[in-house]
Amino acid sequence: MCKHLTHEKIYAIFLWFSTSLVFSEAQTPTFQIPFNNSGGTLSNELFCVESDQSGNIYFCGKHTDVITFGGTTLSVGSGGAWFRKLSPGGNLEWLRQGGTPGTTDIAYGIAADPRNNGRCYVAGSLNTSSASTFGSQTLPASYLGFVACYDATGSALWLAGTSSAVYSIACDANGYLFINTGDAAIHKLDAGNGNDLGTITLSGSLMNPQWHNIVIHGNDVIAQGGNKILKFDNNLNQLWSTPVNASLAETFRLNLDANGDVYGTFYALFGSVTVGSVTKSNFPNGYVYRLDGATGNVLSCDSILINGAASKIKEYIPAAGSPQFYISGDGAFNTPTVLKDGPSLSDTWTKVFPSNAPVNDLEIISNNCMVAVGKHSGTSVFDSYTLNLPAGSSGIDNSYLIGLCSGTVDIPEQSDASTRAYPNPAADYIVMPGNETETITLSNVLGEHFIVLAIGSNRFDLRGLPAGVYVMPRGMRFVKQ
């Protein structure tokens, strides 16, 4: 659904991340266990990431060529919308795609079912020229959008078509889905079969409808549309409406805290933007705002500079416990950055991403531990990890997912750079500097052991190893793609 109910779920921490970590509010997190696409030569991108109560991770996006992610490959010709489920251990549960024979389909939003039945729901846009297929489910041509339901094993249960592209989806605990078709309408669907149970039509438009999402608080629904932030009850009766007025402004995702207060962002190059009764015109700064969940009244509206420069703010996410916030800048005018700020919006820590790797979405897993998805172009260095474009490609956008957590989880403190195995993630082989044995034994997160053979000096063959997260003899973790 993109996005977060961080205080209404009990998250299981990734087994990617050590359970013995000691978190510090001021400790700058490090990048952990990256994934990126290693197949095809055309652009692809991830838009949304979501987790469920069991710690599974779901993410979705688009592709126009072969996708190879975590050792699994999707071919061209079966739809450009793609989505994936990872287990709490970081292992691939399933990877799916859907849509038309062309490659213009996009999965914009994905939502886990809060009833913990293992289901997830994917929504996006379609090429109308051909029939669309998602697993065993098919839609005739002419639909511009879709909603699909998948079970815990990745089997498609049902598929529904919409007359407009769908940019976000959310599921409540009562078995209802809520989707937005741009800024034009909000629909209520039956989560059991996708039937439309009601629609609210909206008027007006802001830029970037692909980033306008729906969030759930209890039985209430909060959405962005028609130049407004709106709150509805479960039957789509409007509870309040707060205008966001501008001649030209970009607005992005909404988030909630435990009380149901609403956190959002906007950006404009000129003119003024009015949120509720508050007007701002000090541009080109990005702005973050907070609305009272009960009334929609503006509680705060503040400008933000990232690393001292103007930036579009993609997300404003309340942290658990004390009044602190995660803020994501997409790097439109400076380097992509994630901040953790205190009540006065002073930085607790700042984490800079590679300049060519903007963040599209964050999912908070625990305090100071999150997952980011987006796209990178060219070689991108995330601390000790280097992500490259697929072989044979150049100048493309390429999907990535990466953890960002406090603490050292993949390299034991006593090790140094001269003894670190590489590459990480690895596909065909891994190099262990200083190793003199003919075999090494690896273990996965389930405690299963695997013996791998040397294929050269300090180089070991991984081609027969299933994709997943493994622990090496020195205690280092690595990802086999």
Side-chain angles (χ1 to χ4, degrees), residues 203-465:
S203 61
S205 177
L206 289 171
M207 294 176 66
N208 297 329
Q210 70 271 28
W211 305 124
H212 295 171
N213 64 319
I214 295 176
V215 287
I216 306 290
H217 183 256
N219 290 323
D220 295 331
V221 179
I222 300 93
Q224 185 169 193
N227 295 75
K228 301 177 183 69
I229 312 300
L230 306 109
K231 183 175 183 179
F232 303 93
D233 65 17
N234 189 261
N235 292 315
L236 293 182
N237 297 307
Q238 184 175 303
L239 301 177
W240 54 253
S241 172
T242 300
V244 181
N245 294 315
S247 57
L248 182 65
E250 298 183 62
T251 54
F252 300 95
R253 289 188 170 110
L254 303 176
N255 289 279
L256 301 175
D257 65 15
N259 298 319
D261 289 349
V262 181
Y263 295 72
T265 75
F266 64 83
Y267 178 87
L269 285 172
F270 56 84
S272 62
V273 177
T274 299
V275 180
S277 60
V278 177
T279 297
K280 298 291 184 178
S281 57
N282 182 24
F283 301 123
N285 295 357
Y287 278 82
V288 296
Y289 63 85
R290 176 181 167 218
L291 306 181
D292 186 305
T295 64
N297 293 336
V298 179
L299 298 176
S300 63
C301 186
D302 301 288
S303 65
I304 291 289
L305 294 176
I306 292 183
N307 298 329
S311 183
K312 295 180 183 179
I313 310 300
K314 268 294 182 58
E315 293 194 76
Y316 182 34
I317 309 171
S322 59
Q324 296 196 66
F325 316 96
Y326 301 102
I327 296 173
S328 167
D330 76 345
F333 301 105
N334 62 2
T335 304
T337 303
V338 173
L339 314 174
K340 187 172 186 181
D341 278 7
S344 62
L345 295 179
S346 57
D347 295 350
T348 302
W349 52 252
T350 299
K351 189 65 178 181
V352 177
F353 280 61
S355 59
N356 61 354
V359 179
N360 281 342
D361 194 20
L362 286 177
E363 171 73 344
I364 308 303
I365 304 301
S366 69
N367 204 18
N368 286 353
C369 194
M370 64 204 73
V371 179
V373 296
K375 60 183 179 181
H376 73 104
S377 56
T379 300
S380 303
V381 179
F382 295 81
D383 292 340
S384 60
Y385 300 103
T386 298
L387 300 184
N388 296 305
L389 295 181
S393 66
S394 64
I396 69 167
D397 293 327
N398 195 52
S399 301
Y400 78 86
L401 175 148
I402 195 162
L404 182 60
C405 288
S406 295
T408 301
V409 299
D410 56 337
I411 306 293
E413 291 185 0
Q414 66 270 20
S415 68
D416 58 41
S418 66
T419 64
R420 294 177 184 174
Y422 63 91
N424 190 357
D428 298 328
Y429 66 88
I430 197 163
V431 176
M432 292 188 65
N435 186 81
E436 298 180 355
T437 61
E438 295 293 325
T439 66
I440 57 173
T441 301
L442 307 175
S443 58
N444 64 12
V445 295
L446 300 177
E448 299 170 322
H449 299 291
F450 301 82
I451 296 175
V452 296
L453 301 175
I455 53 175
S457 177
N458 300 321
R459 185 183 298 241
F460 292 85
D461 189 358
L462 302 181
R463 287 172 292 183
L465 204 63

Side-chain angles (χ1 to χ4, degrees), residues 125-163:
S125 64
L126 295 170
N127 181 343
T128 62
S129 62
S130 303
S132 304
T133 300
F134 290 76
S136 60
Q137 308 294 315
T138 300
L139 286 174
S142 78
Y143 286 109
L144 285 172
F146 72 91
V147 179
C149 173
Y150 283 77
D151 68 13
T153 67
S155 296
L157 300 181
W158 55 257
L159 177 64
T162 59
S163 58

